[in-house]
Amino acid sequence: MEEILSDEKSVMEYLEILFLSQKSYEQRIEILEKKYGIMFKEESVMRKMCTFSDAIWEKGIDEGMERGIKEGSLITSINNVQNLIKKHVVSNIEEAMDLLEVEASLRPAILKSIQMH
């Protein structure tokens, strides 16, 4: 373990294997045993660490997807509002948002974005 801690690159590789790797638990154990000579006496501790890192990874993916969906919805709404005004279907932003039944939570961001351009 001292060998790992003595080199910043080794520490980062070690932590990446433990927490960021998408490899299975068994693959991680094999890498750590072969590369670092680390033998795990308590399987449950390592398994918990791998399970924890997998959960964090999944949470990050879920949050990223949720954020992407929200941003995509906002961009689509902005474009739709601008198109209605540009094609003279409505005369102002509020009217366009009402016609499109834009969610109240999106309206301030749409107003801000359109007024900035």
Side-chain angles (χ1 to χ4, degrees), residues 23-82:
K23 297 183 184 319
S24 70
Y25 166 77
E26 290 77 16
Q27 290 170 318
R28 292 179 201 189
I29 292 292
E30 185 178 337
I31 292 168
L32 293 172
E33 286 177 350
K34 286 182 179 177
K35 186 167 185 169
Y36 297 103
I38 299 172
M39 303 304 286
F40 292 92
K41 295 175 187 169
E42 289 192 42
E43 180 180 322
S44 64
V45 173
M46 179 62 181
R47 189 172 295 277
K48 284 180 187 176
M49 290 172 65
C50 290
T51 303
F52 177 70
S53 69
D54 290 343
I56 290 172
W57 187 266
E58 288 298 320
K59 183 178 180 188
I61 290 171
D62 290 345
E63 287 178 9
M65 288 177 65
E66 186 177 318
R67 185 182 300 163
I69 290 168
K70 285 180 182 177
E71 288 178 16
S73 179
L74 177 61
I75 290 168
T76 299
S77 294
I78 290 168
N79 290 335
N80 289 340
V81 166
Q82 288 174 323

Side-chain angles (χ1 to χ4, degrees), residues 1-18 32 35-36 38:
M1 190 59 115
E2 287 179 30
E3 179 184 317
I4 296 170
L5 297 175
S6 66
D7 179 22
E8 186 176 313
K9 184 177 178 189
S10 292
V11 171
M12 294 308 292
E13 287 175 355
Y14 177 75
L15 293 173
E16 183 176 337
I17 292 166
L18 286 177
L32 293 172
K35 186 167 185 169
Y36 297 103
I38 299 172

